[in-house]
Amino acid sequence: MKRIAVLGPIPRDHIVTHQGDLIQKWGCVTHPVIALSTLAGDKIEIIPVCHVRQVDLDNVKEVFGGYEGINTKHLTTKNDQGDIISLRFLDMNNRIERQTGFMDPIVPADVKSLLNCKVFVFIPISDYEVSLDTLKFLKENSKGTIIFDAHGPTTACLFNGERQRKFWIDRDHWLPYIDVLKMNLEEAHASWFKKEYETSDYFVESDEVDRDELGKFAAHCLNMGVKCVYITVDSRGCLTYYKEKGKIVEHMVPAVPVDNVVDTTGCGDSFAGGVGFGLLQKPTDYVGAARYGNALGALRTQGKTFAVFKSLEDTNKLIRETYF
């Protein structure tokens, strides 16, 4: 049976949506893990790897309890630490974040018994949650594909609990140990930076997609050893970059359309899970994996609970209707 590990925090989220609704639930790792379980049932083994607070462990396991294929043995409480986060959405894509609890980092000891996993999906939400040594350890000891979400290294938690975007200054130390790099447009801007800035540069904000600059950034990543770069561009879709016969290929994989967005929390995490599922089936079909990512991300927006996710048959139908 193929194994896929999903690594990151399971924060206790307190969310106010862009429509003013209050939602309290477990976040991050729970989204792709439950999406994968709904998608593949007992056909694959899904392993969440996370540190949680002792008081939360039973509740987290209960959330996963009704789903097939999930191995919860790597949910640990050794240091009794876990993330607690509040999110207030200003619109569908922008939010104010504050953090009051902190998971201790995932280190090599947490993955030493998981080396035979075919895919590792890392979805840190803050810059301390996954150590670089963990990726190095997997690269040296496992043949599994390492998917890494740049949300972690481009997000800092300040002394007052505020969560803010930051430059990924040590990016090039990480890239050689990442097979698939996933990020959104804002995170891409935080990962592709000048060597020197003017003060005025920091006040230029834009949601425009500069394909030339994003292409240069993707080329840099691919030349550092990354096999594929995904940059999601909100409702437009996902830019996908990879090399084919030595040349860089760019694909815009359109988003799966949705009529009514209820809650976007966990969309990026769900996208990463979908990419992981796609690459678990076909390890070099990066466009096909992006379609699964877009499908799971779109489904995540459709409600406040995990009931939004669909079976493999229904998800494949959604993909056919969108792309074929």
Side-chain angles (χ1 to χ4, degrees):
M1 180 181 293
K2 293 180 179 179
R3 308 174 86 201
I4 180 170
V6 183
L7 309 94
I10 299 180
R12 185 147 49 84
D13 283 345
H14 180 281
I15 304 161
V16 178
T17 73
H18 68 289
Q19 297 174 330
D21 297 326
L22 173 63
I23 304 172
Q24 297 187 69
K25 62 182 179 183
W26 303 103
C28 197
V29 164
T30 56
H31 298 289
V33 166
I34 290 175
L36 288 167
S37 174
T38 305
L39 198 61
D42 59 356
K43 301 296 189 297
I44 60 174
E45 183 180 0
I46 308 145
I47 307 166
V49 180
C50 181
H51 304 150
V52 298
R53 300 192 310 157
Q54 183 66 52
V55 70
D56 293 332
L57 180 61
D58 288 343
N59 289 330
V60 171
K61 286 186 174 181
E62 185 178 357
V63 170
F64 292 138
Y67 296 92
E68 293 183 307
I70 301 176
N71 175 351
T72 60
K73 292 181 180 178
H74 293 270
L75 301 175
T76 59
T77 62
K78 180 180 178 181
N79 292 322
D80 195 22
Q81 290 179 233
D83 283 2
I84 303 172
I85 295 178
S86 64
L87 307 171
R88 181 165 66 83
F89 280 83
L90 304 177
D91 54 44
M92 286 192 297
N93 299 310
N94 297 291
R95 63 199 187 190
I96 297 173
E97 305 183 17
R98 187 175 296 275
Q99 187 163 348
T100 57
F102 312 93
M103 181 190 82
D104 49 309
I106 294 172
V107 296
D110 295 310
V111 298
K112 65 181 181 181
S113 64
L114 299 175
L115 299 179
N116 63 347
C117 286
K118 295 293 185 183
V119 175
F120 298 89
V121 181
F122 284 91
I123 48 174
I125 60 172
S126 300
D127 56 2
Y128 62 86
E129 289 169 340
V130 174
S131 76
L132 177 55
D133 286 342
T134 304
L135 298 193
K136 289 181 177 179
F137 177 77
L138 289 175
K139 267 292 185 181
E140 292 168 358
N141 297 282
S142 174
K143 295 180 180 179
T145 298
I146 297 173
I147 300 169
F148 190 80
D149 192 328
H151 186 62
T154 59
T155 305
C157 185
L158 307 187
F159 184 73
N160 62 359
E162 289 185 15
R163 292 168 51 77
Q164 296 288 344
R165 186 68 61 229
K166 62 182 279 287
F167 287 125
W168 189 6
I169 299 297
D170 62 343
R171 171 202 65 209
D172 288 356
H173 292 286
W174 291 74
L175 293 180
Y177 305 100
I178 295 169
D179 295 312
V180 176
L181 179 61
K182 174 263 172 190
M183 59 182 61
N184 63 25
L185 188 58
E186 185 182 17
E187 292 154 4
H189 291 159
S191 301
W192 189 233
F193 42 83
K194 299 180 181 180
K195 292 184 177 180
E196 183 177 353
Y197 282 82
E198 300 293 335
T199 302
S200 58
D201 292 334
Y202 291 115
F203 298 97
V204 177
E205 295 184 4
S206 175
D207 291 329
E208 294 301 313
V209 179
D210 187 334
R211 297 279 281 267
D212 288 339
E213 284 302 308
L214 292 179
K216 292 176 185 177
F217 168 63
H220 176 81
C221 295
L222 296 173
N223 290 332
M224 290 287 295
V226 177
K227 295 182 176 67
C228 179
V229 177
Y230 292 112
I231 303 176
T232 59
V233 285
D234 302 329
S235 61
R236 288 162 284 196
C238 173
L239 285 164
T240 304
Y241 302 89
Y242 57 93
K243 285 187 177 182
E244 195 170 80
K245 297 180 179 179
K247 294 185 178 181
I248 295 175
V249 177
E250 176 192 285
H251 276 283
M252 170 64 91
V253 183
V256 173
V258 295
D259 294 327
N260 179 42
V261 174
V262 177
D263 176 22
T264 59
T265 312
C267 285
D269 304 321
S270 301
F271 176 93
V275 167
F277 179 78
L279 297 181
L280 192 66
Q281 316 308 312
K282 297 180 180 179
T284 60
D285 184 2
Y286 300 116
V287 172
R291 291 169 180 157
Y292 275 110
N294 283 348
L296 295 195
L299 290 171
R300 177 76 287 283
T301 70
Q302 296 302 285
K304 302 176 184 179
T305 70
F306 299 114
V308 293
F309 297 118
K310 297 181 180 295
S311 67
L312 181 58
E313 180 181 359
D314 288 340
T315 303
N316 282 339
K317 180 181 178 183
L318 178 63
I319 290 172
R320 286 195 302 272
E321 290 172 347
T322 303
Y323 299 108
F324 303 106

